Amino acid sequence: MKKSWTFARIREFLRLNPKILIGLILVSFFAVMSLIGQFWTPYIVTRMDASSVSEAPSLLHWMGTDNFGRDVLSRVMNGSGITILVALITVLIGGIIGTMIGALTGYFGGIVDEIIMRLNDILLSFPSVLLALLLISFLGPGTINVVLALGILFIPSFARMVRSEVIRYRDRDFVRNARLQGIRPLRIILIHILPNARISILTAAAIGFNNAVLAEASMSYLGLGVQPPTPSLGRMLFEAQSFLLNCPWYAIFPGITIILMILGAALLSEGFKEVSGA
Amino acid sequence: MSMDELLRVSHLNVSFPDDDPYDGIEERDTVVRELSFTMKPGDILGVVGESGSGKSMTALSVIRLLKKSARVDSGQILFQGKDLLSLSEEELCDLRGLGISMIFQEPMTSLNPVLRIESQVSEALRLHPGKEPLSTEEIHQKVRKVLEDVGLPDPEGVCRMYPHELSGGMRQRVMIAAALITDPSLLIADEPTTALDVLIQEQILDLLKEIHERTGVAILFISHDLHVIRRLCDRVLVMYQGQIVEEGETKEVLDHPQHEYTKTLVARIPRVATVPGDTPVLEMEDVTIYYPPRGASSGLFRKVKVEPYVYGASLKLYQNEILGIVGGSGSGKSTIGKVLTGLHGIYDGTIRLFGQPLEKVLAGNERPQMIFQDPYSALNPSHTIGWTLMETLRSKGTRSREKQQEMALQMLEEVGLSEAIFHRYPRDLSGGQRQRCCIGQALLYDPKILIADEPVSALDVTVSSQVLELLLKLQKQRHMSMIFVSHDMNIVRLICHRVIVLDHGRIVEEGPSEEIFAHPSHAYTKKLIEAAMLE
Amino acid sequence: MQAIVKKLFSLILTVLVISFLTFIIFSIIPGNAALAKLGVDASPEQIAAMEEKLQLNDPVIIRYGRWLFGALRGDFGESLQYSGVTVGELLGSRLPVTMVLAGISFLLIVLLSVPVALFCVKFRDRLPDRILTVLGQVMMAVPAFFLGILITYIFGLLLRAFRPGAYEGLSLRYLFFPALSIAIPKIAMTVRFLKSSVRGELSQDYVRTARAHGASEDQVLKNHVLRNALIPVITFLALVIGEILAGSIVAEQVFSVPGLGRLLITSISARDYPVVQAIVMYITTVVVSLDFLVDLLYRLVDPRLRRGG
Amino acid sequence: MKRSLAILLAFGLILSAVLTGCASDGKKEETGEDAPKHTETEPSYGGHLVYGMTQDLVSLDPHESTDAGTRSVVFNIYEGLVKPSSSGDLIAAVAEDYQIDQAGTEYVFTLREGIKFQNGQEVTLKDIEYSFNRYAEFSGENSAFVKSVKELSFPDEKTVRITLTNPDSEFLSELTFAIIPDGNDPNENPIGTGPYMVTEYKAGQYLDLSKNQYYWVEKEPYLDTVRFKFISDVNTAFTELQAGTIDVLNYLTTAQVEALKKSAGDEFRIVEGNMNLVHAMYLNNQAGPLSDVRVRQALCYAVDRDAINSFLFAGKSIIIGSHMTPQLPTWYEPAAASVYTYDVQKAKDLLEQAGYKDGFDLTITVPSAYSQHVDTAQIIADQLSLVGIRVTIKQVEWTVWLSDVYKGRDYEATVIGFDGKLNPSDWMAKYGTDAPKNMMNYSNAEYDELLEKALKAVDTEEKASYYKQMQMNLAENAASVYIEDPADFVAMNSQFDGYVFYPTTAWDVSKIYQISGK
């Protein structure tokens, strides 16, 4: 009866849920590829080469070259790393702060909860593009500030989700039990309640990850995303739009990478949700 | 087969895929095994057994409403001579609601929340228009008639209502009305009274009996409650692990059980064996308990208006005593426990524990502990049992992990569980095991006062008596005082020294349990005792 | 009644807070309307004169007060970037465009996602469902601006279904395409949400009751499940409307539609704060009133929330 | 999304074209194999043209200081006493003729016979006086214009006399200010004497013009109606061009030119000219390592201008070495372009001498809206990495650029293009130590002295020699890294012809005509 995570169990587990399997394959593929891309790429990521401008995919350049003769494969490898990093940190910032706010206000309730949730609603009703724009104008451009701005944007939705989860568990008997044993509220929230919300939080994080990837792309469209010549998938897609007819490979490869990456994360979260029976 | 057979089930086998997602082994659990029985028109057949015995599966296979994952492996179900297992989905739809109707355990969730009562009651009629479809007006008249038949006052008004506007008992009446509107020859009732209050249970049983007498409908009655079965059924099947272990006249089977399992089923509830001392450990004087104000923000805009839960209650609990608190749902019986454990803090009056004010005790390490009704909800699903037990010790101040583990293991043994449970999660345990864990957790805190809030009402009968036995044993060993909150008069009578009867937040009667059960003075107490159908 | 007053109160409060925040942020971020208007050819003297003319030198609080005072009387002032044009005129010409655009998107979302979701539920876990699910995932993974560009290329340049940029009057035919680019990812989201809502409802007890009454699979879906499943979708759709408004910012840009979104972006860049204020307030009011509307709608479709009998 | 504004303003300002006098120089080229030769086409009258522009119109007020894009459009509505011609001269417009006295302080204009405003009203001296005063007021008390003028007088019904305090050979170009009717507010009711009159203006969307029937140039304009359409984004504009929604679009990228040739070779003609601006990486001469002349020189050696030209403009730009467009040959010093050659080793040596053997960190701030500046910055970043300089690119909104870089001078390096008027001081005065527009923070005594002399000089040749020395001064001291006068590719629907490049900010639609028979 005891469930331990032996290798055999993991295998069975994966076989039972193809979503997790496919998701895991996709996500780990891109994780490994982008990790390699941070240390080694076939060509130097930002190196321009006037002698090989806009070449179609070939054995030398598997994904072709762009209008500056840069190798698209190298840029996709390196850029997906940047994209993943931006998305991950964004989700971490939004997730951690949002979770803390949501958990505390949800557990204690009262007037503070009321005020913070009101503010939360206000933030949520503020057009996010506008907020991002204003935040970046305020913070200044740059990868770190993009991450910060997006992270801040992500706080309210996390807070709202975690709050409702905490409220769901707040009056369960096991929490009452913990209370009548005199366990401190902070420990109740962190150790007793939050682990139960982990599936919801993970799912929200996966969705958040995807939104962050898309948001970064939109920011690039506004010229506020990751700064060139650092590649990010969104920025590459943005730069590719002028060349859609002549050199479609600029757009196709980063585009496919974004789609598969997001697909992987989404499958993974759905699979976990199914397995956990939520 | 003879024409006077309504239903014949023979050699029925039903299986489910193994529902554990964690071990990927493709195997099927057979939940009903070689089941055979027959019913004549007008029979009332009871099926009794604990959860997981396959009794509901049997009912659902007759009306062919098993979940998609369930599979009838072999067997035959003949209804009025038709083989139900060979009917197409379309033919089944024609049969359901017309020849066979069914009512379920949860009247709230079993009614569609967004549809009016009329359209739900008339649904079967509209789905089976027959040769001459009825006009809207005729349907309405029929709905009125059947609502009246099930004893609902103001059927016209009820027609226009939504399920949430009705009480639990009324909803179950509506369910019954919807099932009976087409005059079916067989009514399957799957635990129809389990979710209801004692007094309401009683009324629904009366209603079923009355309907049976009037219409002659055959009833296949599924229940875990022997008293209910005894009350209603002519014949009874006892199911255990998917098989029929005993079958016969109800009185015969219940009074002279042959099979081992049936014997444990009818086993007696343990009796209290301690003698209470005369020092009160708890004194409540004129305590009025209020609802928390509704909505946190409302206080901002208007004066907080509170309604009391419990009015001016005074009571005492002595050392080694077990005090029963009984009452219907909404009587406020659970609230007293919540106040004593500090879960609910809005009250007037004085409460003293061990001679000290309640607040002082709550701030220290002598808090009363509580055992909850639903052992699943009371255990944190994301932590192992061992962790939960150790967490209690941690909160009490035991620092060393070895010590914690040792004490937790010892407690598991004490509550009759194996060491292996230590690493398990609540979802891996049965209801009885969970409740034992809850008791263990409460006792690790080493309380002087234990509040048991309906500790066995979510458990099967056999398990329930074992858990009660454990509670009584530990109460004796540890010299605890206990408040036992329950709606079950049978249990209260046997295990409590004294009883308090609560009705709508007021103590209407109080006294030694023998006395109260022998000579109830208040009308409400009398009703409760009657409903409990004590032998 | 009290609930409505309370809601109204919080709506006003929200709008006020947001207008103030926007004002503050605008006074903090670098750049102002005078600079944006005059560019690199102006002398510092001319810039100063322009700042004076646009009343940019007064303290924020005074400017906010002046703005608020005007706004309360329905006067949102003059645009800073377009000389002589009032904010009211600008909004008056742009608002209908965005409303129609958002309306078409919303219709597309509702009209397409309900049947698709029901189709998926009918074929759940079979091939058609899986294909649509993956397709939906892909649609949700395309950045909004890129989807717009793709639609322009495919429908505008290859199929010549419309002429990019040739938007005149309130042309529904033209607006269909930007609306499509807004709607596609939202349709995918709505289908997913509706699907899980329907699945959740299918496991409810009342479904079993209906089947016990003899209802067939289709009758159960149509008569019982759909209505219950749509209740949470109302909230979801309200959120979607907010996102449609955000999405229209990108779509208007890509498709050259003179709507509010494009005006907003232009005005932010030009630091034309009276216009930005008005648009932000408009969007906030819409979003907050949607919230309000959802509450009312809930009461309408979910009898459990109706007061009294 | 916010490209919009960007592009709106930035484009205009930045890219704007003071353009090559190429039409007259015969420099204009046409590409596209099937494109009919200019000379072969027959003009016809009538027709409607949509002119796409990727920015918004700032104002219809000709006296307000506005960006180059706006000036290019209103060029068609208003005229001054004189107006620029496509060859870079100033020709008489509202005035029929003018004379400047020997001392260079007295300008006498004769009003053109029978000239009328677009509303049919005749132009009178009152209108001139009103316009003169209005322009002076808008320019401000301390402007060069107000300071130079001593007196405005009207000797007779047809004559305007302007007396200057000091001789100023560059003054005439100021007299291009628009003549509008007495008491008229152009924001309410724009009226001028130009070839086209405003019929409808939708802020942020389009400006509709129709033919001025009173126009004084015979046979012009050709087209009946013209629409200037404001489009938020370069790529969107290009799509609209391909779809036939707009007929003319300036500033195509080489990729767009390629795409157009490939997909619709004979539907469009591509006219090539220059943007007429100084495209450069401007340096803050007081920021950190950049205050050392050797470091700036090293940058000049390390940047490969030809590579930028070939990556971004298919090699069609004109490489420059100082702050003057080659399109003004009178003032342009060609030698400045060859002061530096691409030489990585030399750059490294210079850096080592300056004490930056291991390079340094450099932030290039660019307005995000205009991709050619961003791309240029990317190329420079890659090139500088070869000499060990670690570049960070910081994209900012155009407004932020204006406030932080241009006004606040808080930057290290920026890539941008500056345009200018026909008078050389408009280009070069900004490097004077105390010049209000000196965002480079350039300070060089010799330069200041030369500038003073140049401004005072009356003789064109003398003046030119000062300006040429100033250009060499900027080049040798590496005031900035000057790159090119970028090529301007204009795509025009091939049913139209007659596009003319100006050496100043002007999109002259009066010369554009529909080809007869098309």
Side-chain angles (χ1 to χ4, degrees), chain D residues 19 132 151 161-162 164 182 196 203 206 298 412 417 440 463 489:
Chain D
L19 220 279
F132 181 97
E151 192 194 8
R161 183 167 61 208
I162 299 169
L164 303 188
D182 186 16
Y196 285 96
Y206 57 80
E412 290 174 8
M440 286 65 59
K463 204 177 183 77
F489 303 101

Side-chain angles (χ1 to χ4, degrees), chain A residues 47-48 70 222 227 243, chain D residues 1-2 235 255 378 382 395:
Chain A
R47 181 66 73 236
M48 300 178 175
R70 296 177 294 198
L222 300 176
Q227 300 294 302
F243 307 94
Chain D
M1 337 184 138
K2 88 120 214 281
N235 290 295
Q378 286 201 58
D382 184 40
Q395 297 185 88

Side-chain angles (χ1 to χ4, degrees), chain C residues 3 6 54 85 121 124 135 151 178 198 202 207 214 231 240 265:
Chain C
K6 213 177 137 188
L54 299 178
V85 183
V121 169
R124 56 181 170 274
L135 198 70
I151 288 182
V198 167
L202 273 177
V207 170
I231 294 175
V240 164
I265 296 299

Side-chain angles (χ1 to χ4, degrees), chain D residues 54 79 161 178 180 209 224 240 248 291 305 445 450 456 506:
Chain D
T54 49
E79 289 173 334
R161 183 167 61 208
I180 59 173
L209 303 179
D224 282 343
E240 293 186 14
V248 189
S291 55
R305 294 169 292 177
L450 284 166
K456 281 198 181 124

